C-alpha cells in the first residue's frame, strides 16, 4: 500500500528512473540478495516502506513473524544502503513505537519513556530498532538516514482481510459483506472507545517526498492529521459510507489495544507540510476502490 502510493507520487512529480522490485523479484529478508541489489543498482535515494504489517489480531497472533521479518528487512536494507553509499534513506516506522500510556498528543521525544502496548510490542520493538539503526549509521558513518512515524494508515492497496487487516478496511469489508448477505449485525472488536487517528496513504506519500527534500535530523518525525476519533465514531461513519443499515455489536472479549494514539504534528507542520485529504473523503474513495476491485475480481472468475 505505502510503496505503491510513493511510486504514484514520484511518477506524478516526473521521476522516471525509479528502481522497483516486487516481492518475488527481491526478497528483502535475504541479506545476500539485498546486498547484491544495492551493489549492482547503486540507488541514490531509498524509501524503506517494506514491512510485515497487520492489525491488532495479526500482531497479537504472530509475534515471532512480526519481530523477525521486520528486523531482517530493515537491517539488510539499511546496512546495504550504507555500504552502497546511498545519499539519503527514509525509514518508515509507526506511532505504536510510543509508550502505551504516553501523554497525548504524542511528541517525538516520548520515544523510550515507558512500557509499550502488549498487543503490538513485537512490531514496535522492531520499528524502534529501525529508528536506532538510522541514528547509529548517521552518528558513526555520517549517513543521511531519517525516520518518519506515520499514524494509522488507510487507502487503496490496503489489506481488507478481516482477520489480518487494520480497523478501517476490516470494518469496510465486514459491512460490505453483511449488506450483500442481508445480515442485520456486524461484529466489531473491543469496546469501541479507543481513539485513533487515520491518515490517507496518498498524504503519507506526499509527506515522504517532502521529508526527503526538507528533513535531515536524528530524531524521528511524526506524520499525521492531528485529529482523532473513537472506533465507534469511525464505525458509524463507515455505516453511512457503505450503506450498511444493521447494528454494530462490540465483542468486548477482543482487545482494545492502546487507549489513544494521536500524534503531535507540530514539527512537520512547522517545516511546511500538512495532510490534505479529509477523513470522510478518503474513506469514501477507499471504499469505492475496494468495491471496484471486488466487482472486477468476481467478473474475472
Ligand atoms: P491498532 O491501532 O494497532 O490497535 O490496530 P487496529 O487498526 O487493528 O485496531 C484499532 C482499534 O480498532 C482496536 O481498538 C480494535 O480492537 C478496534 N477494532 C474494532 N473492530 C475491529 C476490526 O474489525 N478489525 C480491527 N483490526 N480492529 C477493530
Amino acid at each position: 500500500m505505502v510503496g505503491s502510493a510513493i511510486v504514484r507520487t514520484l511518477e506524478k512529480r516526473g521521476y522516471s528512473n525509479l528502481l522497483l522490485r516486487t516481492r518475488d523479484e527481491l526478497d528483502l529478508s535475504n541479506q545476500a540478495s539485498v546486498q547484491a541489489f544495492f551493489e549492482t543498482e547503486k540507488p541514490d535515494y531509498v524509501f524503506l516502506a517494506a514491512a510485515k504489517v497487520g492489525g491488532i489480531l495479526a500482531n497479537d497472533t504472530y509475534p515471532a513473524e512480526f519481530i523477525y521479518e521486520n528486523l531482517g528487512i530493515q537491517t539488510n536494507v539499511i546496512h546495504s544502503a550504507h555500504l552502497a553509499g546511498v545519499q539519503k534513506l527514509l525509514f518508515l516506522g509507526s506511532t505504536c513505537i510510543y509508550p502505551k500510556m504516553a501523554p497525548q498528543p504524542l511528541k517525538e521525544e516520548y520515544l523510550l519513556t515507558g512500557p509499550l502496548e502488549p498487543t503490538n510490542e513485537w512490531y514496535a520493538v522492531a520499528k524502534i530498532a529501525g529508528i536506532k539503526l538510522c541514528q547509529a549509521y548517521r552518528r558513526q558513518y555520517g549517513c543521511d538516514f531519517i525516520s518518519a512515524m506515520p499514524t494509522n494508515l488507510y487507502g487503496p492497496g490496503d489489506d481488507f482481510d478481516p482477520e489480518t487487516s487494520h480497523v478501517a478496511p476490516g470494518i469496510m469489508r465486514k459491512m460490505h459483506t453483511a449488506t450483500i448477505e442481508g445480515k442485520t449485525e456486524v461484529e466489531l472488536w473491543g469496546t469501541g472507545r479507543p481513539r485513533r487517528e487515520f491518515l490517507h496513504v496518498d498524504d503519507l506519500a506526499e509527506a515522504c517526498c517532502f521529508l526527503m527534500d526538507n528533513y535531515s535530523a536524528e530524531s524521528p518525525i511524526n506524520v499525521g492529521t492531528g485529529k482523532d476519533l473513537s472506533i465507534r465514531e469511525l464505525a458509524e461513519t463507515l455505516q453511512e459510507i457503505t450503506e450498511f443499515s444493521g447494528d454494530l455489536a462490540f465483542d468486548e472479549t477482543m482487545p482494545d489495544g492502546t487507549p489513544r494514539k494521536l500524534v503531535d504534528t507540530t514539527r512537520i507542520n512547522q517545516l511546511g507540510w500538512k495532510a490534505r485529504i479529509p477523513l470522510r473523503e478518503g474513506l469514501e474513495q477507499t471504499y469505492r476502490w475496494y468495491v471496484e476491485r471486488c466487482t472486477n475480481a468476481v467478473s474475472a472468475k
Side-chain angles (χ1 to χ4, degrees):
M1 170 172 73
V2 176
S4 305
I6 293 175
V7 170
R8 286 197 296 276
T9 303
L10 288 170
E11 285 175 343
K12 233 175 17 197
R13 292 179 175 211
Y15 290 95
S16 54
N17 48 353
L18 306 178
L19 293 169
L20 308 172
R21 292 294 182 277
T22 63
R23 193 176 296 217
D24 287 341
E25 289 164 348
L26 177 60
D27 175 3
L28 294 175
S29 62
N30 182 314
Q31 187 185 20
S33 309
V34 175
Q35 215 154 307
F37 169 79
F38 275 82
E39 272 167 22
T40 314
E41 301 293 347
K42 298 222 172 303
D44 296 318
Y45 295 87
V46 174
F47 292 89
L48 177 41
K52 163 93 180 163
V53 298
I56 192 164
L57 184 64
N59 267 274
D60 211 20
T61 314
Y62 308 108
E65 289 175 34
F66 274 82
I67 193 162
Y68 172 76
E69 289 185 29
N70 286 308
L71 284 173
I73 291 169
Q74 69 203 27
T75 305
N76 294 338
V77 172
I78 291 171
H79 187 64
S80 299
H82 153 59
L83 294 180
V86 163
Q87 281 180 40
K88 190 157 186 170
L89 176 145
L90 169 70
F91 170 70
L92 283 168
S94 155
T95 53
C96 68
I97 57 147
Y98 294 116
K100 173 171 184 162
M101 301 316 276
Q104 307 281 324
L106 299 157
K107 290 185 196 296
E108 286 87 351
E109 56 263 33
Y110 298 162
L111 177 64
L112 292 174
T113 55
L116 298 164
E117 153 61 29
T119 52
N120 56 27
E121 68 174 308
W122 321 96
Y123 178 75
V125 163
K127 289 293 180 186
I128 292 170
I131 298 171
K132 290 291 157 193
L133 276 166
C134 291
Q135 291 178 343
Y137 279 67
R138 172 177 281 277
R139 278 196 195 183
Q140 188 174 338
Y141 304 124
C143 298
D144 194 359
F145 292 176
I146 58 171
S147 309
M149 299 304 117
T151 190
N152 286 33
L153 300 170
Y154 70 96
D158 209 345
D159 170 17
F160 286 78
D161 180 336
E163 291 299 309
T164 52
S165 71
H166 284 101
V167 61
I171 295 185
M172 261 185 213
R173 172 142 166 204
K174 284 184 192 175
M175 289 181 173
H176 183 76
T177 313
T179 305
I180 291 171
E181 293 174 355
K183 291 202 176 128
T184 54
E185 196 178 85
V186 151
E187 191 188 89
L188 306 175
W189 301 341
T191 60
R193 285 193 294 272
R195 299 183 70 84
R196 294 289 184 273
E197 175 183 0
F198 296 93
L199 179 71
H200 191 283
V201 70
D202 287 345
D203 268 338
L204 173 69
E206 290 287 343
C208 289
C209 295
F210 176 86
L211 292 170
M212 269 292 191
D213 286 337
N214 297 289
Y215 187 69
S216 179
E218 201 175 282
S219 167
I221 184 161
N222 291 336
V223 188
T225 61
K227 291 183 207 119
D228 67 350
L229 77 173
S230 72
I231 297 302
R232 179 178 286 280
E233 287 164 336
L234 173 77
E236 286 166 357
T237 307
L238 290 171
Q239 256 181 319
E240 289 172 18
I241 294 174
T242 61
E243 297 178 2
F244 167 67
S245 54
D247 298 325
L248 307 177
F250 283 92
D251 176 358
E252 298 199 8
T253 63
M254 294 297 277
D256 265 346
T258 306
R260 194 175 184 199
K261 267 194 280 184
L262 173 68
V263 291
D264 187 316
T265 54
T266 309
R267 218 175 261 189
I268 193 166
N269 294 157
Q270 279 176 352
L271 287 174
W273 184 86
K274 253 189 161 46
R276 282 184 313 107
I277 305 172
L279 180 61
R280 171 85 192 211
E281 186 185 315
L283 290 172
E284 283 171 354
Q285 181 248 8
T286 305
Y287 183 58
R288 280 197 302 275
W289 182 90
Y290 171 70
V291 173
E292 272 165 32
R293 200 168 137 271
C294 279
T295 319
N296 291 342
V298 170
S299 56
K301 273 187 187 165

